Amino acid sequence: MGSWSSGGNLNTARKAVAGCGTQTAGLSFGGYVSAVSDVTEEYDGSSWAAGGDLNTARYYLAGAGTQTAGLSFGGYTSTYASTTEEYNGTSWSAGGSLNTARFGLAGAGTQTAGLSFGGYVSAVSDVTEEYDGSS
């Protein structure tokens, strides 16, 4: 049976963040501190370093992909977000928006074969969407 062990702490404490990647090449982005956050941090297996900030600050968003080909989507700003952004290991750029804006959703897959599911719109949602790298 596996067990958890301590790793390096985030540089910016926040809640409702999203992430993707692996144990030795992780990515954390978005969230909420005392305001909506656009902070992105990269993990190397022992410590976190600053990455390129999201273009649109959001929390309760979802993520998929890797540290050098990440995907962020959905979330909450002051309303439900359909925003999708792609990370190239340095910076975020706009991607194709979700068809259904929502927050509290989950994600899986890669930047070119992503999956979003669930979340909250005006009630708990069963919406599932697939991402092909552009829409």
Side-chain angles (χ1 to χ4, degrees), residues 14-88:
R14 36 196 210 283
K15 65 179 181 179
V17 300
C20 65
T22 66
Q23 185 182 44
T24 57
L27 199 61
S28 169
F29 42 92
Y32 190 92
V33 184
S34 56
V36 182
S37 176
D38 62 0
V39 171
T40 296
E41 296 185 44
E42 299 177 358
Y43 191 69
D44 65 7
S46 62
S47 62
W48 293 93
D53 290 341
L54 287 166
N55 295 313
T56 303
R58 291 167 279 148
Y59 62 112
Y60 291 117
L61 66 165
T66 66
Q67 189 182 77
T68 56
L71 191 61
S72 72
F73 43 93
Y76 194 86
T77 55
S78 58
T79 187
Y80 312 137
S82 63
T83 306
T84 297
E85 296 183 43
E86 299 178 0
Y87 193 69
N88 65 10

Side-chain angles (χ1 to χ4, degrees), residues 13 24 90 128:
T24 57
T90 305
T128 298

